[in-house]
Amino acid sequence: MPMHIPDGFLDTPVWVGLNVAALPAVGVLARKAQKGFDHSRTPLLGVMGAFVFAAQMINFPVGVGTSGHLIGGALLACTLGPAAAAVTMTAILAIQALIFQDGGVLALGANVMNMAVCGTLAAYLPYHFWGRGRWRRAAIFLGGALSVLVGALLAISELLLSGIPMPGAVLGVSLGLFMVSAVLEGAITVAVVGALEGMQPDFVHQPSGRRSYVLGALASAAILLSVVGVLFASANPDGLEKLAADVGIASRAKTLFATPLADYEAGFFESPWARKAGAGMAGLVLMFGASVLLGRFGKKRSV
């Protein structure tokens, strides 16, 4: 499943160009998110960011020895709005790259453009047009699927621009796996939004702070995913890792510096479960803190 491109896969002009494009794109979205910002939404930013971070840690099989995980762009877009969702996803990707070495540091602009900017905005389009009528569930499903497909097609295009040869058969299998991931993303997004609205019917549309019960449930779910879900996560490579292995570029992946939480493992613990759970909980704290800081910054700028 898409789509954390590591360093070493993209040619210098490609990753430099995407970093240059990502900076103003995220800046524009951040300013848009700040306009009319409701400070009561700050806890929602933190909990949703932490929940999506935790969900991205849990890989599940999608076939042919490949795994996937929830990206969460559509879920964030439905609950936070497109601009705030894109900024929150950018924070998730930055923490993953800088702290957990999931995705390249130099390739961060590519991953941000693929998943946070283009993927999240594509996810919101069906919800924007059809999310309040009888086609609501279909719109949410389509948004989740589009977020995966857009991110996948952009990542593949960037690899092709970097001169990576892709035989037709390999490309066809990869696209098929991405389609499966897209369907699963849409289904999971519909299920999560439905569960949230089952607990509080106005959860998505209510901008005020009457969400303590649902936020508590989301926070508990994030903790369970980080502490218990890691025990059941698939060890199979994700879609991009499988594609890299099939076209013979997996050995190009490199890391610029080592971190104590690399690969979502807190290496100072002896137990394999404790290493995974410890890293997951650290990620939740970092993501919640980053999201709250974004919310407070938005509050100050909107005053």
Side-chain angles (χ1 to χ4, degrees), residues 155-161 163-172 174 240 243 247 249:
I156 289 172
S157 298
E158 291 152 10
L159 293 174
L160 290 171
L161 285 173
I164 306 300
M166 293 191 191
V170 171
L171 187 57
S174 295
L240 187 61
L243 176 62
V247 299
I249 63 168

Coordinates of all heavy atoms in Angstrom, one line a residue, residues 155-161 163-172 174 240 243 247 249:
A155 N 3.3 8.3 -7.0 CA 4.5 7.6 -6.6 C 5.1 6.9 -7.8 O 6.3 7.0 -8.1 CB 4.3 6.7 -5.4
I156 N 4.3 6.1 -8.5 CA 4.8 5.4 -9.7 C 5.3 6.4 -10.7 O 6.4 6.1 -11.3 CB 3.7 4.5 -10.2 CG1 3.4 3.3 -9.3 CG2 4.1 4.0 -11.6 CD1 2.2 2.5 -9.6
S157 N 4.6 7.5 -11.0 CA 5.1 8.4 -11.9 C 6.4 9.0 -11.5 O 7.3 9.3 -12.4 CB 4.0 9.6 -12.1 OG 2.8 9.1 -12.5
E158 N 6.6 9.3 -10.3 CA 7.9 9.8 -9.8 C 9.0 8.8 -9.9 O 10.1 9.2 -10.3 CB 7.7 10.3 -8.3 CG 6.8 11.5 -8.1 CD 6.1 11.5 -6.8 OE1 6.4 10.7 -5.9 OE2 5.2 12.4 -6.6
L159 N 8.7 7.6 -9.7 CA 9.7 6.6 -10.0 C 10.1 6.5 -11.4 O 11.3 6.3 -11.8 CB 9.3 5.2 -9.4 CG 9.1 5.1 -7.9 CD1 8.5 3.7 -7.6 CD2 10.4 5.3 -7.2
L160 N 9.1 6.6 -12.3 CA 9.4 6.5 -13.7 C 10.2 7.7 -14.2 O 11.1 7.6 -15.0 CB 8.0 6.5 -14.5 CG 7.3 5.1 -14.4 CD1 5.9 5.3 -15.0 CD2 8.0 4.0 -15.1
L161 N 9.8 8.9 -13.6 CA 10.6 10.1 -13.9 C 12.0 10.0 -13.5 O 12.9 10.6 -14.0 CB 10.0 11.3 -13.3 CG 8.7 11.9 -13.9 CD1 8.1 13.0 -13.1 CD2 9.0 12.4 -15.3
G163 N 13.8 7.4 -13.8 CA 14.4 6.4 -14.6 C 14.3 5.0 -14.2 O 15.1 4.1 -14.6
I164 N 13.4 4.7 -13.3 CA 13.2 3.3 -12.8 C 12.5 2.5 -13.8 O 11.3 2.8 -14.2 CB 12.5 3.3 -11.5 CG1 13.1 4.2 -10.4 CG2 12.4 1.9 -11.0 CD1 14.5 3.8 -10.1
P165 N 13.1 1.5 -14.4 CA 12.3 0.7 -15.4 C 11.3 -0.2 -14.7 O 11.5 -0.8 -13.7 CB 13.4 -0.2 -16.0 CG 14.5 -0.3 -14.9 CD 14.4 1.0 -14.2
M166 N 10.1 -0.2 -15.3 CA 9.0 -1.0 -14.8 C 8.4 -1.9 -15.9 O 7.6 -1.4 -16.7 CB 7.9 -0.1 -14.2 CG 8.4 0.6 -12.9 SD 7.0 1.4 -12.1 CE 7.9 2.4 -10.9
P167 N 8.7 -3.2 -15.9 CA 8.1 -4.1 -16.9 C 6.5 -4.0 -16.8 O 6.0 -3.9 -15.7 CB 8.6 -5.5 -16.5 CG 9.9 -5.2 -15.8 CD 9.7 -3.9 -15.0
G168 N 5.9 -4.2 -17.9 CA 4.4 -4.2 -17.9 C 3.8 -5.1 -16.9 O 2.8 -4.8 -16.2
A169 N 4.3 -6.3 -16.8 CA 3.7 -7.3 -15.9 C 3.8 -6.9 -14.5 O 2.8 -7.0 -13.7 CB 4.4 -8.7 -16.1
V170 N 5.0 -6.4 -14.1 CA 5.2 -6.0 -12.7 C 4.3 -4.8 -12.4 O 3.6 -4.7 -11.3 CB 6.7 -5.6 -12.5 CG1 6.8 -4.9 -11.1 CG2 7.5 -6.8 -12.6
L171 N 4.2 -3.8 -13.3 CA 3.4 -2.7 -13.1 C 1.9 -3.1 -13.0 O 1.2 -2.5 -12.2 CB 3.5 -1.7 -14.3 CG 2.9 -0.3 -14.2 CD1 3.3 0.4 -12.9 CD2 3.2 0.5 -15.4
G172 N 1.5 -4.0 -13.8 CA 0.1 -4.5 -13.8 C -0.3 -5.1 -12.4 O -1.3 -4.8 -11.9
S174 N 1.3 -4.5 -9.6 CA 1.3 -3.5 -8.6 C 0.0 -2.7 -8.6 O -0.6 -2.3 -7.5 CB 2.5 -2.6 -8.8 OG 3.7 -3.3 -8.6
L240 N 4.6 -0.5 -2.2 CA 5.8 0.1 -2.7 C 7.0 -0.7 -2.5 O 7.9 -0.8 -3.4 CB 5.9 1.5 -2.1 CG 7.0 2.4 -2.8 CD1 6.8 2.6 -4.3 CD2 7.2 3.7 -2.1
L243 N 6.9 -3.5 -5.0 CA 7.3 -3.0 -6.3 C 8.8 -2.8 -6.4 O 9.4 -3.2 -7.4 CB 6.5 -1.7 -6.6 CG 6.8 -1.0 -7.9 CD1 6.5 -1.9 -9.1 CD2 6.1 0.3 -8.0
V247 N 11.3 -4.7 -9.2 CA 12.0 -4.0 -10.2 C 13.5 -3.9 -9.9 O 14.3 -3.3 -10.6 CB 11.4 -2.6 -10.5 CG1 10.0 -2.8 -11.0 CG2 11.5 -1.7 -9.3
I249 N 15.2 -2.4 -7.2 CA 15.7 -1.2 -6.6 C 15.7 -1.1 -5.1 O 16.0 -0.1 -4.5 CB 15.0 0.1 -7.2 CG1 13.5 0.1 -6.8 CG2 15.2 0.2 -8.7 CD1 12.9 1.4 -7.1

